[in-house]
Amino acid sequence: MFASIKKNWFLIGIVVVICLAKFAPEIGSKGGILMPEITVKYIAVFIIFFNSGVSLRSEDLGRALLQVKVHVFIQGFTFILFPVIIFTLVKFLSVGEFNKHILEGLKILSCLPPPVSSAVILTKAVGGNEAAAIFNSAFGSFLGITVTPTLILALVGSKAAVPVASIFLQLTATVVLPLVIGQWVRHMLTNTVNLKNVPWGQIGSGVLLLIIYATFCDTFSHKDVNVDPASFFMTVVLIISIQVCLLYSVFTVSSTRLLPFSRSDTVALMFCCTHKSLTLGIPIIKIIFADSPSLSLITIPLLVYHPTQILLGGLLVPYIRGWMLGGQRTGRRTFSFAV
């Protein structure tokens, strides 16, 4: 039993932190004892990228910058294909009885950039191309400062004044700076400490559990979202279906022999292409719909999508890791999303 717990500690940890979040969400929600607006938003993200900076070789980061096809795939999917898919889906759903305000929120969701933390830490947990995930999460976030408002104007018809300077400084402080410091520490310790003996993966997984806990605390603490149970259930089912379909589509396309991606590349593509940023999304929604009585309904898709992407990604970690490590490139299509 101990061996089984040790092997599956991360999955067990996910269940435990979600139960703790449900039992006392006020601890890890905004303004709570844990102070996630500082510990998670800044400190946890700083640790993630410092961890990556220390554990990654400079040569790997350098090679990642030159993986242009990976970058084009991720950014193209994030800012072109994802919005097109969701806009088409919304057109189809708008014919029926689906809540119109929730559909508006879904369109805004599709325009958002990837988050700076979850895609990186999940890629690292699996053992994928962490360097590519770091570059595209950071680059996508910086790109989203200008591209996201433009997409929202095109799809929703509303202008969004994004605080460019503050977001730029925040991304620099929590992503670029810790990565640079981590690389400097690695250079200083290379000849004195065996960095391979440090459990970087476990540290990253531990931070991810903290993020999952804070995310679900925040989710369970939302009492002001006025939506009928049927609409909320349909939204949850729709969001889960979208994520599963997108994950499987990215996996299937990127793992074909026609594209020059390795298994580790595929892992980075799966998480970077399908994850969306709550940090940029909520402020934009509040700016656009500040005076709208339906503001709480419009935020629902993003509030559901954010914890779902982390939970689903966490549950898939051991299965994707097993696929990535086992067999040759020709055996890729044997992977199953059945968890």
Side-chain angles (χ1 to χ4, degrees), residues 83-152:
V84 169
I85 292 172
I86 297 301
F87 185 76
T88 304
L89 179 63
V90 167
K91 281 288 187 183
F92 175 77
L93 292 175
S94 61
V95 178
E97 300 297 322
F98 214 96
N99 189 291
K100 309 301 180 185
H101 301 298
I102 292 178
L103 293 180
E104 284 293 292
L106 196 60
K107 286 195 288 187
I108 292 177
L109 167 69
S110 70
C111 302
L112 298 176
V116 295
S117 57
S118 59
V120 173
I121 204 166
L122 285 169
T123 301
K124 183 182 183 69
V126 172
N129 190 340
E130 182 187 355
I134 290 173
F135 175 82
N136 282 282
S137 293
F139 181 69
S141 295
F142 281 111
L143 196 61
I145 295 175
T146 55
V147 174
T148 293
T150 304
L151 287 173
I152 291 175

Side-chain angles (χ1 to χ4, degrees), residues 75-87 90 103-115 140-141 143-158 160 162 273-278 280-281 284-285 288 301-302 305:
Q75 303 306 327
F77 191 99
T78 299
F79 293 113
I80 299 176
L81 193 55
F82 199 125
V84 169
I85 292 172
I86 297 301
F87 185 76
V90 167
L103 293 180
E104 284 293 292
L106 196 60
K107 286 195 288 187
I108 292 177
L109 167 69
S110 70
C111 302
L112 298 176
S141 295
L143 196 61
I145 295 175
T146 55
V147 174
T148 293
T150 304
L151 287 173
I152 291 175
L153 178 61
L155 296 183
V156 182
S158 300
V162 177
C273 289
T274 60
H275 282 211
K276 291 294 182 178
S277 173
L278 179 74
L280 184 61
I284 284 179
I285 292 175
I288 296 176
L302 184 54
Y305 197 96

Side-chain angles (χ1 to χ4, degrees), residues 56 60 137 226 298 330:
L56 277 173
D60 293 335
S137 293
N226 300 313
I298 297 170
T330 54

Side-chain angles (χ1 to χ4, degrees), residues 228-248:
D228 61 278
S231 296
F232 184 75
F233 177 76
M234 290 174 62
T235 303
V236 172
V237 172
L238 177 63
I239 293 297
I240 294 175
S241 301
I242 289 173
Q243 289 200 28
V244 170
C245 289
L246 290 178
L247 280 166
Y248 187 75

Side-chain angles (χ1 to χ4, degrees), residues 81-312:
L81 193 55
F82 199 125
V84 169
I85 292 172
I86 297 301
F87 185 76
T88 304
L89 179 63
V90 167
K91 281 288 187 183
F92 175 77
L93 292 175
S94 61
V95 178
E97 300 297 322
F98 214 96
N99 189 291
K100 309 301 180 185
H101 301 298
I102 292 178
L103 293 180
E104 284 293 292
L106 196 60
K107 286 195 288 187
I108 292 177
L109 167 69
S110 70
C111 302
L112 298 176
V116 295
S117 57
S118 59
V120 173
I121 204 166
L122 285 169
T123 301
K124 183 182 183 69
V126 172
N129 190 340
E130 182 187 355
I134 290 173
F135 175 82
N136 282 282
S137 293
F139 181 69
S141 295
F142 281 111
L143 196 61
I145 295 175
T146 55
V147 174
T148 293
T150 304
L151 287 173
I152 291 175
L153 178 61
L155 296 183
V156 182
S158 300
K159 293 184 178 180
V162 177
V164 176
S166 61
I167 294 177
F168 186 88
L169 289 175
Q170 179 185 329
L171 289 172
T172 302
T174 56
V175 176
V176 180
L177 181 62
L179 191 65
V180 172
I181 293 175
Q183 282 286 287
W184 177 77
V185 171
R186 178 183 177 86
H187 176 72
M188 296 296 292
L189 298 179
T190 299
N191 297 324
T192 58
V193 179
N194 188 352
L195 296 175
K196 293 182 178 180
N197 293 332
V198 181
W200 304 113
Q202 286 78 359
I203 293 173
S205 296
V207 175
L208 180 57
L209 287 178
L210 173 64
I211 294 173
I212 292 174
Y213 173 69
T215 299
F216 275 88
C217 281
D218 194 54
T219 301
F220 292 138
S221 66
H222 277 283
K223 307 296 183 183
D224 58 340
V225 180
N226 300 313
V227 59
D228 61 278
S231 296
F232 184 75
F233 177 76
M234 290 174 62
T235 303
V236 172
V237 172
L238 177 63
I239 293 297
I240 294 175
S241 301
I242 289 173
Q243 289 200 28
V244 170
C245 289
L246 290 178
L247 280 166
Y248 187 75
S249 298
V250 173
F251 166 79
T252 303
V253 172
S254 63
S255 60
T256 59
R257 298 179 183 178
L258 298 177
L259 296 178
F261 299 131
S262 65
R263 290 191 173 200
S264 61
D265 292 338
T266 294
V267 173
L269 293 174
M270 288 174 65
F271 294 128
C272 289
C273 289
T274 60
H275 282 211
K276 291 294 182 178
S277 173
L278 179 74
T279 305
L280 184 61
I282 292 298
I284 284 179
I285 292 175
K286 288 183 177 179
I287 290 170
I288 296 176
F289 302 99
D291 301 320
S292 173
S294 303
L295 176 63
S296 61
L297 289 173
I298 297 170
T299 61
I300 287 177
L302 184 54
L303 292 176
V304 173
Y305 197 96
H306 181 64
T308 303
Q309 70 186 7
I310 296 175
L311 177 60
L312 184 59

